Amino acid sequence: MSYSPELRLLGHFRLECDTEPVELCRNGQRLLAFVALRRRVSRTVLAGSLWPEVTEERARGSLRTTLWKLPRGEQPLIRCSGDSLVTADTLHVDVHAFTETALGVVQGGGPPLTTQLPHGLLRGEDLLPGWDEEWVLLERERLRQLRLHALDALAEALVREGRPALALEAAWESVRTEPLRESAHRAAVSAHLAEGNLIEAVRHYRSFQRLLREELGVDPSPRFTRMLARHGWRVPDG
């Protein structure tokens, strides 16, 4: 096994070593994905999560068999640490890189943004699409929410930096992902206002207002309407 394996879980499962794909059986994929997402997990939790429909003894047996079938080399993909299993330090996992980028944007502690947007936030690839196990669904939703918060924060940061065109790109990606999310629409309107495009801002607000009324029977929040009021436009009643 190479010293630089890479595991892709966003978009689809793919394990590579020195850019060459490594084939794993289905249970091998599930095991590696679960441990990689958590970095460290007890054998009991792992076996019970991957084989919940059988007895604990049979689940542990399936775990041992699957571990034995994983590719072997100078440094294994998964190593034992007491009663826990841990991914190799050399294993690069795209989910962790994405999480680090997204949290950096949300926390606002990173360096000034460059001329390019963080591509990991814009691609919007789901975690292991087609996998419907509970542990995947929970992690998929966590990553989706993190991405949405990061896109909103990114758009706001770009507006503050005087780069409304890029801010719109981030805001629209958030809108496409979750059309009823008000914070994404506020970010888009904020970018329009930063460019002095009041008409575009009003048009966007009205479009979102119609969508909310049709889908939920409610209006945008007072916070949203005040954004436009500060620029001289009063939201009509009704």
Side-chain angles (χ1 to χ4, degrees):
M1 178 61 62
S2 167
Y3 282 106
S4 56
E6 296 191 8
L7 179 61
R8 178 177 179 178
L9 302 177
L10 297 173
H12 64 276
F13 183 99
R14 183 178 176 86
L15 175 65
E16 292 184 353
C17 290
D18 293 332
T19 71
E20 292 296 322
V22 178
E23 298 296 328
L24 296 181
C25 66
R26 175 64 173 174
N27 278 339
Q29 293 181 9
R30 295 167 65 239
L31 189 155
L32 183 58
F34 193 104
V35 180
L37 285 170
R38 300 198 178 190
R39 288 193 170 95
R40 173 187 291 267
V41 60
S42 73
R43 288 175 178 267
T44 300
V45 169
L46 181 57
S49 298
L50 296 186
W51 295 277
E53 69 284 354
V54 301
T55 64
E56 181 178 346
E57 181 179 356
R58 287 190 60 187
R60 281 183 169 267
S62 297
L63 174 58
R64 288 192 296 271
T65 299
T66 305
L67 279 171
W68 183 82
K69 290 181 178 180
L70 287 180
R72 300 169 182 271
E74 296 183 29
Q75 184 167 9
L77 293 170
I78 296 177
R79 60 182 177 83
C80 297
S81 177
D83 190 46
S84 297
L85 296 175
V86 185
T87 50
D89 295 336
T90 54
L91 180 63
H92 176 270
V93 183
D94 62 350
V95 169
H96 300 322
F98 166 83
T99 300
E100 183 178 345
T101 297
L103 287 175
V105 172
V106 171
Q107 293 167 352
L113 297 168
T114 64
T115 56
Q116 294 184 341
L117 299 179
H119 293 300
L121 296 182
L122 296 181
R123 283 200 301 266
E125 295 174 307
D126 281 338
L127 174 72
L128 298 170
W131 294 32
D132 59 0
E133 294 167 89
E134 186 65 25
W135 58 273
V136 177
L137 299 178
L138 290 172
E139 189 67 15
R140 185 183 298 153
E141 179 60 17
R142 183 190 74 83
L143 292 173
R144 190 183 77 90
Q145 289 293 330
L146 175 59
R147 177 172 177 263
L148 288 170
H149 281 98
L151 285 168
D152 293 348
L154 178 61
E156 293 171 0
L158 288 165
V159 168
R160 290 194 299 270
E161 291 185 13
R163 299 159 70 189
L166 289 179
L168 271 174
E169 285 295 312
W172 270 112
E173 187 60 37
S174 185
V175 168
R176 281 191 288 266
T177 303
E178 182 47 77
L180 293 175
R181 186 180 177 85
E182 182 179 299
S183 56
H185 291 275
R186 287 201 308 265
V189 167
S190 180
H192 285 308
L193 293 174
E195 289 185 308
N197 294 328
L198 178 60
I199 297 302
E200 291 290 341
V202 171
R203 183 181 294 121
H204 190 114
Y205 174 89
R206 284 174 168 167
S207 175
F208 178 58
Q209 183 183 52
R210 286 194 299 272
L211 178 64
L212 273 187
R213 287 177 174 178
E214 291 171 0
E215 296 293 330
L216 302 176
V218 299
D219 280 318
S221 69
R223 176 183 176 184
F224 201 170
T225 59
R226 285 195 297 268
M227 287 178 60
L228 293 167
R230 286 195 295 269
H231 287 77
W233 187 75
R234 181 178 177 273
V235 179
D237 296 330

